[in-house]
Amino acid sequence: MYNPKEVQSQKDELRRAVLHARPFKPLYVKLKVFYGCNLKCEMCNHWRARREPPISSDRFREVLDELAELGTKKIHISGGEPMLRAQVPEMVEQASALGIKVTMTTNGTLIDKVKARRLVEGGLRGVNISIDSPVRKMHEKIRGVEGAFKATTKAVELFRRYKRKGKLAIRINTVVSRTNYQTLATLPDLAYELGADGINLIPVDDHCGEILSMRKKDIALFNQEIAPKIAARALALGLIVSDEDAFPFGRTDSQVRLGRAGRYAFGYYDKHPCYAAWTHSLIDFNGYVYVCCMTRERIPPLGNLKTQSFKEIWESAAYRQVRLKMHPPALAACRRCDDFIEQNKNIWETIGPY
């Protein structure tokens, strides 16, 4: 999410902000720059529904300036498919010039030589590319478009080719579902062959329905036969830092029980706060601002950049109300999220109980 040293150097200020539910700094901001997508993934609704037009690129550029003034250190660009928005390379260049680290998630199918080179040379520091199986037919079954596997793996190779022109970490994102989990044992080998620096296994969301959700027997088979192979190979290749990273649904009976219920925080927020409301924000394609992805469809937006500055929203009464609710037990949405647990643990250890 951000560099722990940034929190360590400002721990007293952050502790006071948490104690009094005041704003700290939006150290890490996610920008969903486009809603639609060019693929038809079975676990996603972005291609199924039409939404209002996104806010203008000029407004996004203004927001980047606002974020820099407020102390943002990192932005993550996503969608839908962000590369459907032609101005993404310009946004990367602008944010980098402002001293903000830029990362992005993409399906990779729209990346060519020119785009890959410009993004890397423009300052892109990390890219997560979605590959849902090392087996071509399985990946394309999930992604819903023939030829997607070739285009996506080519994108990884292109980013690898140009990464020497800048600092770039390439990670493979894989959503683990009932459809694909039995094909994932050789995922580390594919990632390594393509030149990726890491893999990230993501448990399928509970909103995806019964067809995709992992049953108790599926998780048991995955944990017994697939995950250990992924862990051993990925650790050997330097693609994960802990064998825990290969078990997205948990390992113990208690964790698996919570995981099957979609509670991927495994009870952490029953006793600890989530600090995202002090350090993070999500800007949606239509200008609405939320604390994070998990609150996006569960609580009302905190403001809209079409009519407000980001600073006004960040310091608003609406944001304060959310901060007040982040103390344990945190919001119900937090209990379904594992995105910020390691960062939250670091902050808890840094600023201590309050």
Side-chain angles (χ1 to χ4, degrees):
M1 186 160 70
Y2 40 75
N3 189 332
K5 293 181 180 178
E6 295 162 359
V7 172
Q8 181 68 39
S9 65
Q10 304 172 76
K11 62 180 181 180
D12 293 335
E13 182 183 351
L14 175 56
R15 190 175 189 276
R16 288 192 295 270
V18 172
L19 183 61
H20 299 289
R22 295 197 300 257
F24 178 61
K25 294 180 181 180
L27 296 174
Y28 170 36
V29 177
K30 179 178 284 190
L31 278 66
K32 297 178 86 63
V33 298
F34 198 78
Y35 184 83
C37 188
N38 60 317
L39 299 184
K40 298 179 179 180
C41 302
E42 63 181 14
M43 65 286 194
C44 182
N45 292 320
H46 280 281
W47 60 275
R48 292 185 172 98
R50 291 188 178 184
R51 298 292 177 96
E52 67 269 34
I55 62 174
S56 70
S57 297
D58 287 343
R59 183 66 186 113
F60 265 125
R61 285 193 287 268
E62 291 172 356
V63 170
L64 289 175
D65 289 332
E66 294 177 40
L67 293 176
E69 291 178 5
L70 288 171
T72 298
K73 300 300 182 183
K74 176 182 175 181
I75 64 168
H76 184 79
I77 298 173
S78 69
E81 172 47 49
M83 292 307 295
L84 285 169
R85 189 140 200 183
Q87 299 81 14
V88 164
E90 296 174 12
M91 294 175 65
V92 171
E93 291 163 354
Q94 178 188 347
S96 297
L98 291 168
I100 300 174
K101 178 180 178 179
V102 187
T103 59
M104 179 174 70
T105 294
T106 174
N107 63 42
T109 59
L110 301 177
I111 298 294
D112 57 23
K113 293 179 182 179
V114 173
K115 293 174 184 175
R117 181 167 184 167
R118 184 177 178 187
L119 286 166
V120 174
E121 293 183 349
L124 187 67
R125 296 288 300 278
V127 61
N128 298 337
I129 299 180
S130 303
I131 297 179
D132 288 316
S133 175
V135 179
R136 178 187 63 80
K137 289 185 178 180
M138 177 58 70
H139 174 81
E140 293 182 357
K141 177 182 184 297
I142 293 171
R143 293 279 151 174
V145 174
E146 187 175 350
F149 186 81
K150 181 178 180 180
T152 297
T153 52
K154 180 65 175 178
V156 182
E157 294 171 345
L158 287 172
F159 279 121
R160 178 187 65 182
R161 178 186 305 177
Y162 293 114
K163 68 182 292 186
R164 68 179 185 276
K165 300 180 183 298
K167 296 179 180 179
L168 179 70
I170 305 170
R171 291 176 62 85
I172 302 301
N173 277 1
T174 302
V175 176
V176 184
S177 72
R178 193 188 309 181
T179 302
N180 67 346
Y181 78 90
Q182 294 189 55
T183 72
L184 298 180
T186 59
L187 180 67
D189 296 284
L190 174 67
Y192 184 77
E193 290 167 9
L194 294 174
D197 301 295
I199 60 173
N200 182 31
L201 300 182
I202 303 169
V204 65
D205 257 338
D206 59 332
H207 73 256
C208 297
E210 288 298 319
I211 295 177
L212 299 180
S213 64
M214 295 281 280
R215 298 162 295 190
K216 183 177 181 179
K217 66 178 183 180
D218 297 313
I219 296 175
L221 179 61
F222 179 77
N223 283 0
Q224 291 169 11
E225 298 187 12
I226 310 298
K229 295 177 181 178
I230 295 174
R233 190 63 175 147
L235 282 169
L237 296 174
L239 298 172
I240 57 176
V241 297
S242 167
D243 62 352
E244 297 292 331
D245 296 332
F247 294 83
F249 301 98
R251 302 184 77 167
T252 67
D253 291 342
S254 174
Q255 288 177 340
V256 170
R257 187 163 54 252
L258 291 169
R260 289 191 64 229
R263 296 182 61 177
Y264 296 117
F266 301 137
Y268 180 78
Y269 296 118
D270 293 341
K271 298 181 179 179
H272 300 86
C274 177
Y275 298 102
W278 287 271
T279 60
H280 178 67
S281 199
L282 166 68
I283 298 174
D284 214 346
F285 72 99
N286 50 17
Y288 285 113
V289 175
Y290 303 86
V291 173
C292 60
C293 288
M294 290 302 292
T295 62
R296 179 168 169 252
E297 296 181 354
R298 293 171 172 86
I299 65 173
L302 305 175
N304 194 307
L305 292 168
K306 290 179 180 178
T307 57
Q308 299 168 275
S309 70
F310 183 86
K311 186 174 188 292
E312 288 174 329
I313 299 171
W314 183 248
E315 298 176 352
S316 68
Y319 234 119
R320 174 176 168 78
Q321 287 303 309
V322 174
R323 293 183 182 113
L324 287 168
K325 296 175 182 177
M326 284 293 181
H327 304 278
L331 295 172
C334 300
R335 301 173 195 180
R336 312 182 77 82
C337 176
D338 62 350
D339 281 352
F340 302 134
I341 287 182
E342 291 305 315
Q343 291 85 356
N344 282 326
K345 287 180 178 178
N346 177 267
I347 293 175
W348 176 261
E349 293 171 359
T350 299
I351 70 173
Y354 45 86

